[in-house]
Amino acid sequence: ALLFSNLGTVQRRMGKNKEALESYSLALNLTPYSVTMLLNRASLYLEMDYLDKAYVDYCNVIDLDEKNADALQFRAYIYMRQHRYQDARLDYLRFLETTPDDKTARIGMAMVNQKLQRYRESLEEFNRLIVDYPNDASLLKARAELEMEMDSKEMALLDLENAVKLAPNDAEIYVMCGDIYMAQGRNREAFRAFEKAIELGVPRPELQERMKASKK
């Protein structure tokens, strides 16, 4: 079993994913209750976007080790992809019980609370994350998206202004700013924001309709 597992890992590193899956499966035929081998195959399934198969392997890991951090976190990710937000939230909660400072899981929890319209909890987690990681522009963008959902456009703009200081070449920030300006009737500022986004690499056709609307 170990030989097949190691062979699978080598094949995976060589980009031979189909052969690697076969090797991992042969290993699991011999040792079906190996957490390590189940995690190896599950991660490869996930990499290949075989979500249903990865899900089964992660469930089997959790049956064997109910607090396995990798299985809980990646199953939560799969639940998010499948829009099963309540299930994802439960897995993130279990994961964070043992690993409360994990950044990825904390972001996942904030996002799943946002999807469930638990806005206060989502905002509180983003606030804590931004205190802990003040130089991460992606967190400011994520909080701005939440604030837009909460109809706090001025707060969202403030976050985006701070985000652009950290990541001046992030075109998405300018698109987000443009959308807020449009919602506020500030069409000239929206047009300039969209122009800047195009300058930074957003294809012009993607923003063509927005730019037309901002000229009215």
Side-chain angles (χ1 to χ4, degrees):
L2 186 59
L3 175 63
F4 282 125
S5 179
N6 290 339
L7 177 61
T9 299
V10 171
Q11 290 167 326
R12 183 176 182 177
R13 289 173 180 167
M14 295 172 65
K16 298 180 178 181
N17 289 344
K18 183 179 178 181
E19 292 86 346
L21 282 177
E22 291 174 356
S23 296
Y24 285 146
S25 295
L26 286 169
L28 283 163
N29 286 340
L30 297 169
T31 55
Y33 303 113
S34 169
V35 167
T36 299
M37 293 178 191
L38 282 166
L39 287 173
N40 284 341
R41 187 172 70 176
S43 67
L44 182 53
Y45 277 141
L46 197 58
E47 183 181 315
M48 297 171 72
D49 210 35
Y50 296 162
L51 296 187
D52 291 339
K53 292 182 178 181
Y55 171 78
V56 171
D57 278 351
Y58 285 128
C59 286
N60 287 332
V61 170
I62 292 167
D63 285 342
L64 296 165
D65 176 9
E66 64 181 18
K67 293 187 177 181
N68 187 279
D70 285 341
L72 285 170
Q73 187 166 9
F74 286 116
R75 190 173 72 172
Y77 167 77
I78 292 170
Y79 282 142
M80 287 287 285
R81 291 275 304 273
Q82 296 173 334
H83 308 293
R84 296 170 62 181
Y85 301 123
Q86 189 59 52
D87 291 323
R89 186 173 187 274
L90 292 174
D91 273 358
Y92 280 129
L93 281 172
R94 291 170 65 188
F95 176 87
L96 288 167
E97 284 176 3
T98 55
T99 318
D101 296 325
D102 186 271
K103 182 182 180 182
T104 302
R106 290 170 66 191
I107 293 171
M109 178 59 86
M111 293 177 67
V112 79
N113 279 331
Q114 181 178 349
K115 293 292 187 182
L116 291 168
Q117 297 185 354
R118 302 171 72 113
Y119 292 135
R120 181 182 58 80
E121 293 168 73
S122 181
L123 183 60
E124 287 174 355
E125 188 57 64
F126 277 127
N127 290 344
R128 288 191 290 267
L129 281 160
I130 289 166
V131 169
D132 292 342
Y133 304 96
N135 297 317
D136 189 336
S138 68
L139 293 174
L140 290 166
K141 287 164 57 180
R143 188 169 68 178
E145 287 183 4
L146 172 62
E147 289 161 340
M148 288 166 66
E149 272 190 45
M150 297 172 70
D151 202 29
S152 298
K153 296 183 180 64
E154 290 300 329
M155 295 300 296
L157 275 176
L158 183 60
D159 272 345
L160 293 173
E161 288 168 6
N162 288 326
V164 84
K165 293 174 185 175
L166 296 170
N169 295 321
D170 187 331
E172 186 183 12
I173 297 173
Y174 292 96
V175 175
M176 293 172 69
C177 285
D179 287 340
I180 295 174
Y181 290 141
M182 285 284 290
Q184 294 177 326
R186 298 159 65 181
N187 288 5
R188 184 175 297 179
E189 290 166 276
F191 185 85
R192 287 201 297 265
F194 294 140
E195 278 282 287
K196 183 65 176 180
I198 291 168
E199 181 184 319
L200 290 172
V202 176
R204 185 174 288 273
E206 287 186 16
L207 297 177
Q208 198 67 44
E209 292 303 315
R210 287 179 170 112
M211 294 185 73
K212 285 181 182 177
S214 67
K215 286 182 177 180
K216 294 179 181 178

